[in-house]
Amino acid sequence: MAVRRQHSPYPGADAWVPEHASLRVLRAAVSSCHGCPLYRYATRAVFGEGLARARVVMIGEVPGDAEDRAGHVFVGPAGRLLDEVLEAAGIERDEVYLTNAVKHFKFTLRGKRRIHDKPTRYEQRACKPWLNAELERIAPEVVVALGATAAQALFGPHFKVTESRGKAFATEYARYTFATVHPSSVLRAPDAEARASARRALIADLARVAEHLRASAPRSRPSRSSRSAGTKSARDDQHGLA
Ligand code: URA
Ligand code: SF4
């Protein structure tokens, strides 16, 4: 696939994102997005899933082959691992709204196999308005970036998951904004021992998320008008709380 880094004829998703829309309306609208080249190759856009009143939003990178076929987030191998680590950490998948930083599957063909490919910075930026709209709509107490792509979408390009994983930061997106590794990094670990330790570390990060969920008061949602979205950059506003 040709990667256009500069002077792209694609404008980014802004023009396709309806303002002040419900999740249902957003989900319907994403299927016609032409904000970057990825829509041309994927089967469909895969939007986030979960309740609009979810207290926690978790963000992956991009749908994989299984998600592109099924039209649902995290249903493939990474999703199965995510289910297991959420359960081990004491978080119910049903209380989580799950989405991705980029909504269309990106791949390269190897024979007939479609191999996951990382979205470029440009594609990540192009797709961000959809994520912003989901987060604005849900206004969660807790946001968790799963992996570097999602973490950099929230905290900026210099954020390092390895240095800051498992810590809560206040951002424009949520009072407690966490980053940890992507579940597929556990699957990619080189041997059984490395896999087991990567899995334990991911569960430990998610257990800190669970603690914040248990400790924070039952949610009282601020009114839409009193919550102006995107006023400050996450980086300006970032400070450790844990
Ligand atoms: N990996 C992701 O980042 N998201 C999915 O939905 C599936 C795999
Ligand atoms: Fe639009 Fe995002 Fe799909 Fe690109 S990846 S076409 S910006 S929905």
Side-chain angles (χ1 to χ4, degrees), residues 191-211:
D191 55 49
E193 200 177 314
R195 256 193 311 282
S197 99
R199 184 191 176 95
R200 274 195 304 276
L202 174 54
I203 292 169
D205 289 349
L206 293 174
R208 305 197 66 186
V209 172
E211 270 168 38

PDB file of all heavy atoms in Angstrom, residues 191-211:
ATOM      1  N   ASP A 191       9.014 -16.184  24.337  1.00  0.00           N
ATOM      2  CA  ASP A 191       8.892 -17.549  24.873  1.00  0.00           C
ATOM      3  C   ASP A 191       7.885 -17.559  26.021  1.00  0.00           C
ATOM      4  O   ASP A 191       7.383 -16.513  26.429  1.00  0.00           O
ATOM      5  CB  ASP A 191      10.255 -18.080  25.343  1.00  0.00           C
ATOM      6  CG  ASP A 191      10.904 -17.150  26.346  1.00  0.00           C
ATOM      7  OD1 ASP A 191      10.233 -16.753  27.307  1.00  0.00           O
ATOM      8  OD2 ASP A 191      12.091 -16.786  26.155  1.00  0.00           O
ATOM      9  N   ALA A 192       7.622 -18.756  26.530  1.00  0.00           N
ATOM     10  CA  ALA A 192       6.560 -18.914  27.524  1.00  0.00           C
ATOM     11  C   ALA A 192       6.827 -18.079  28.776  1.00  0.00           C
ATOM     12  O   ALA A 192       5.908 -17.469  29.339  1.00  0.00           O
ATOM     13  CB  ALA A 192       6.413 -20.389  27.893  1.00  0.00           C
ATOM     14  N   GLU A 193       8.095 -18.028  29.172  1.00  0.00           N
ATOM     15  CA  GLU A 193       8.419 -17.284  30.392  1.00  0.00           C
ATOM     16  C   GLU A 193       8.178 -15.787  30.185  1.00  0.00           C
ATOM     17  O   GLU A 193       7.580 -15.109  31.028  1.00  0.00           O
ATOM     18  CB  GLU A 193       9.897 -17.531  30.727  1.00  0.00           C
ATOM     19  CG  GLU A 193      10.253 -17.247  32.152  1.00  0.00           C
ATOM     20  CD  GLU A 193      11.718 -17.596  32.389  1.00  0.00           C
ATOM     21  OE1 GLU A 193      12.145 -18.690  31.951  1.00  0.00           O
ATOM     22  OE2 GLU A 193      12.411 -16.759  32.989  1.00  0.00           O
ATOM     23  N   ALA A 194       8.626 -15.284  29.036  1.00  0.00           N
ATOM     24  CA  ALA A 194       8.431 -13.860  28.738  1.00  0.00           C
ATOM     25  C   ALA A 194       6.942 -13.541  28.607  1.00  0.00           C
ATOM     26  O   ALA A 194       6.478 -12.486  29.046  1.00  0.00           O
ATOM     27  CB  ALA A 194       9.169 -13.492  27.444  1.00  0.00           C
ATOM     28  N   ARG A 195       6.208 -14.483  28.037  1.00  0.00           N
ATOM     29  CA  ARG A 195       4.757 -14.274  27.899  1.00  0.00           C
ATOM     30  C   ARG A 195       4.099 -14.185  29.269  1.00  0.00           C
ATOM     31  O   ARG A 195       3.276 -13.315  29.524  1.00  0.00           O
ATOM     32  CB  ARG A 195       4.121 -15.412  27.098  1.00  0.00           C
ATOM     33  CG  ARG A 195       3.781 -15.014  25.674  1.00  0.00           C
ATOM     34  CD  ARG A 195       2.885 -16.009  24.985  1.00  0.00           C
ATOM     35  NE  ARG A 195       3.298 -17.385  25.075  1.00  0.00           N
ATOM     36  CZ  ARG A 195       4.258 -17.952  24.357  1.00  0.00           C
ATOM     37  NH1 ARG A 195       4.924 -17.232  23.466  1.00  0.00           N
ATOM     38  NH2 ARG A 195       4.562 -19.217  24.516  1.00  0.00           N
ATOM     39  N   ALA A 196       4.494 -15.110  30.155  1.00  0.00           N
ATOM     40  CA  ALA A 196       3.886 -15.127  31.492  1.00  0.00           C
ATOM     41  C   ALA A 196       4.213 -13.833  32.234  1.00  0.00           C
ATOM     42  O   ALA A 196       3.351 -13.252  32.905  1.00  0.00           O
ATOM     43  CB  ALA A 196       4.376 -16.334  32.272  1.00  0.00           C
ATOM     44  N   SER A 197       5.443 -13.349  32.097  1.00  0.00           N
ATOM     45  CA  SER A 197       5.770 -12.152  32.866  1.00  0.00           C
ATOM     46  C   SER A 197       5.113 -10.914  32.241  1.00  0.00           C
ATOM     47  O   SER A 197       4.661 -10.016  32.960  1.00  0.00           O
ATOM     48  CB  SER A 197       7.277 -12.032  33.090  1.00  0.00           C
ATOM     49  OG  SER A 197       7.855 -11.159  32.200  1.00  0.00           O
ATOM     50  N   ALA A 198       5.010 -10.867  30.906  1.00  0.00           N
ATOM     51  CA  ALA A 198       4.327  -9.736  30.259  1.00  0.00           C
ATOM     52  C   ALA A 198       2.850  -9.717  30.656  1.00  0.00           C
ATOM     53  O   ALA A 198       2.255  -8.660  30.886  1.00  0.00           O
ATOM     54  CB  ALA A 198       4.464  -9.834  28.741  1.00  0.00           C
ATOM     55  N   ARG A 199       2.290 -10.895  30.756  1.00  0.00           N
ATOM     56  CA  ARG A 199       0.886 -10.999  31.139  1.00  0.00           C
ATOM     57  C   ARG A 199       0.661 -10.535  32.582  1.00  0.00           C
ATOM     58  O   ARG A 199      -0.275  -9.797  32.876  1.00  0.00           O
ATOM     59  CB  ARG A 199       0.486 -12.469  30.959  1.00  0.00           C
ATOM     60  CG  ARG A 199      -0.930 -12.805  31.193  1.00  0.00           C
ATOM     61  CD  ARG A 199      -1.016 -14.318  31.217  1.00  0.00           C
ATOM     62  NE  ARG A 199      -2.332 -14.720  31.518  1.00  0.00           N
ATOM     63  CZ  ARG A 199      -3.254 -15.035  30.605  1.00  0.00           C
ATOM     64  NH1 ARG A 199      -2.954 -15.055  29.338  1.00  0.00           N
ATOM     65  NH2 ARG A 199      -4.449 -15.353  30.966  1.00  0.00           N
ATOM     66  N   ARG A 200       1.564 -10.964  33.465  1.00  0.00           N
ATOM     67  CA  ARG A 200       1.450 -10.525  34.867  1.00  0.00           C
ATOM     68  C   ARG A 200       1.543  -9.004  34.978  1.00  0.00           C
ATOM     69  O   ARG A 200       0.813  -8.369  35.726  1.00  0.00           O
ATOM     70  CB  ARG A 200       2.556 -11.161  35.723  1.00  0.00           C
ATOM     71  CG  ARG A 200       2.211 -12.535  36.256  1.00  0.00           C
ATOM     72  CD  ARG A 200       3.174 -12.948  37.380  1.00  0.00           C
ATOM     73  NE  ARG A 200       4.578 -12.916  36.973  1.00  0.00           N
ATOM     74  CZ  ARG A 200       5.194 -13.913  36.343  1.00  0.00           C
ATOM     75  NH1 ARG A 200       4.554 -15.041  36.059  1.00  0.00           N
ATOM     76  NH2 ARG A 200       6.475 -13.799  36.000  1.00  0.00           N
ATOM     77  N   ALA A 201       2.469  -8.418  34.200  1.00  0.00           N
ATOM     78  CA  ALA A 201       2.655  -6.963  34.266  1.00  0.00           C
ATOM     79  C   ALA A 201       1.422  -6.237  33.719  1.00  0.00           C
ATOM     80  O   ALA A 201       1.003  -5.203  34.266  1.00  0.00           O
ATOM     81  CB  ALA A 201       3.906  -6.561  33.473  1.00  0.00           C
ATOM     82  N   LEU A 202       0.817  -6.763  32.678  1.00  0.00           N
ATOM     83  CA  LEU A 202      -0.404  -6.149  32.137  1.00  0.00           C
ATOM     84  C   LEU A 202      -1.539  -6.254  33.162  1.00  0.00           C
ATOM     85  O   LEU A 202      -2.269  -5.281  33.407  1.00  0.00           O
ATOM     86  CB  LEU A 202      -0.782  -6.823  30.803  1.00  0.00           C
ATOM     87  CG  LEU A 202      -2.100  -6.411  30.159  1.00  0.00           C
ATOM     88  CD1 LEU A 202      -2.198  -4.894  29.961  1.00  0.00           C
ATOM     89  CD2 LEU A 202      -2.264  -7.111  28.794  1.00  0.00           C
ATOM     90  N   ILE A 203      -1.659  -7.406  33.792  1.00  0.00           N
ATOM     91  CA  ILE A 203      -2.707  -7.577  34.813  1.00  0.00           C
ATOM     92  C   ILE A 203      -2.470  -6.603  35.975  1.00  0.00           C
ATOM     93  O   ILE A 203      -3.413  -5.992  36.489  1.00  0.00           O
ATOM     94  CB  ILE A 203      -2.769  -9.040  35.312  1.00  0.00           C
ATOM     95  CG1 ILE A 203      -3.270  -9.955  34.185  1.00  0.00           C
ATOM     96  CG2 ILE A 203      -3.665  -9.170  36.545  1.00  0.00           C
ATOM     97  CD1 ILE A 203      -3.125 -11.445  34.460  1.00  0.00           C
ATOM     98  N   ALA A 204      -1.203  -6.424  36.357  1.00  0.00           N
ATOM     99  CA  ALA A 204      -0.902  -5.497  37.468  1.00  0.00           C
ATOM    100  C   ALA A 204      -1.321  -4.070  37.091  1.00  0.00           C
ATOM    101  O   ALA A 204      -1.905  -3.346  37.919  1.00  0.00           O
ATOM    102  CB  ALA A 204       0.592  -5.551  37.807  1.00  0.00           C
ATOM    103  N   ASP A 205      -1.054  -3.646  35.862  1.00  0.00           N
ATOM    104  CA  ASP A 205      -1.484  -2.301  35.434  1.00  0.00           C
ATOM    105  C   ASP A 205      -3.005  -2.188  35.474  1.00  0.00           C
ATOM    106  O   ASP A 205      -3.556  -1.188  35.933  1.00  0.00           O
ATOM    107  CB  ASP A 205      -1.005  -2.005  33.998  1.00  0.00           C
ATOM    108  CG  ASP A 205       0.511  -1.786  33.912  1.00  0.00           C
ATOM    109  OD1 ASP A 205       1.157  -1.647  34.973  1.00  0.00           O
ATOM    110  OD2 ASP A 205       1.024  -1.753  32.776  1.00  0.00           O
ATOM    111  N   LEU A 206      -3.673  -3.219  34.978  1.00  0.00           N
ATOM    112  CA  LEU A 206      -5.140  -3.165  34.945  1.00  0.00           C
ATOM    113  C   LEU A 206      -5.729  -3.240  36.348  1.00  0.00           C
ATOM    114  O   LEU A 206      -6.803  -2.692  36.615  1.00  0.00           O
ATOM    115  CB  LEU A 206      -5.700  -4.279  34.051  1.00  0.00           C
ATOM    116  CG  LEU A 206      -5.366  -4.116  32.560  1.00  0.00           C
ATOM    117  CD1 LEU A 206      -5.823  -5.340  31.770  1.00  0.00           C
ATOM    118  CD2 LEU A 206      -5.989  -2.843  31.980  1.00  0.00           C
ATOM    119  N   ALA A 207      -5.013  -3.896  37.263  1.00  0.00           N
ATOM    120  CA  ALA A 207      -5.486  -3.947  38.643  1.00  0.00           C
ATOM    121  C   ALA A 207      -5.471  -2.537  39.254  1.00  0.00           C
ATOM    122  O   ALA A 207      -6.326  -2.191  40.078  1.00  0.00           O
ATOM    123  CB  ALA A 207      -4.630  -4.901  39.464  1.00  0.00           C
ATOM    124  N   ARG A 208      -4.520  -1.704  38.844  1.00  0.00           N
ATOM    125  CA  ARG A 208      -4.504  -0.313  39.335  1.00  0.00           C
ATOM    126  C   ARG A 208      -5.685   0.464  38.761  1.00  0.00           C
ATOM    127  O   ARG A 208      -6.260   1.325  39.423  1.00  0.00           O
ATOM    128  CB  ARG A 208      -3.190   0.362  38.961  1.00  0.00           C
ATOM    129  CG  ARG A 208      -1.997  -0.444  39.479  1.00  0.00           C
ATOM    130  CD  ARG A 208      -0.741   0.353  39.487  1.00  0.00           C
ATOM    131  NE  ARG A 208      -0.847   1.445  40.446  1.00  0.00           N
ATOM    132  CZ  ARG A 208       0.074   2.382  40.582  1.00  0.00           C
ATOM    133  NH1 ARG A 208       1.147   2.358  39.829  1.00  0.00           N
ATOM    134  NH2 ARG A 208      -0.093   3.345  41.457  1.00  0.00           N
ATOM    135  N   VAL A 209      -6.037   0.154  37.526  1.00  0.00           N
ATOM    136  CA  VAL A 209      -7.241   0.757  36.933  1.00  0.00           C
ATOM    137  C   VAL A 209      -8.462   0.342  37.740  1.00  0.00           C
ATOM    138  O   VAL A 209      -9.315   1.172  38.096  1.00  0.00           O
ATOM    139  CB  VAL A 209      -7.396   0.313  35.453  1.00  0.00           C
ATOM    140  CG1 VAL A 209      -8.730   0.767  34.884  1.00  0.00           C
ATOM    141  CG2 VAL A 209      -6.226   0.835  34.609  1.00  0.00           C
ATOM    142  N   ALA A 210      -8.534  -0.942  38.075  1.00  0.00           N
ATOM    143  CA  ALA A 210      -9.674  -1.460  38.851  1.00  0.00           C
ATOM    144  C   ALA A 210      -9.764  -0.764  40.207  1.00  0.00           C
ATOM    145  O   ALA A 210     -10.857  -0.421  40.671  1.00  0.00           O
ATOM    146  CB  ALA A 210      -9.542  -2.969  39.023  1.00  0.00           C
ATOM    147  N   GLU A 211      -8.604  -0.519  40.825  1.00  0.00           N
ATOM    148  CA  GLU A 211      -8.596   0.182  42.125  1.00  0.00           C
ATOM    149  C   GLU A 211      -9.218   1.569  41.995  1.00  0.00           C
ATOM    150  O   GLU A 211     -10.007   1.985  42.841  1.00  0.00           O
ATOM    151  CB  GLU A 211      -7.151   0.404  42.602  1.00  0.00           C
ATOM    152  CG  GLU A 211      -6.568  -0.677  43.439  1.00  0.00           C
ATOM    153  CD  GLU A 211      -5.057  -0.458  43.587  1.00  0.00           C
ATOM    154  OE1 GLU A 211      -4.600   0.705  43.709  1.00  0.00           O
ATOM    155  OE2 GLU A 211      -4.333  -1.466  43.540  1.00  0.00           O
TER     156      GLU A 211
END
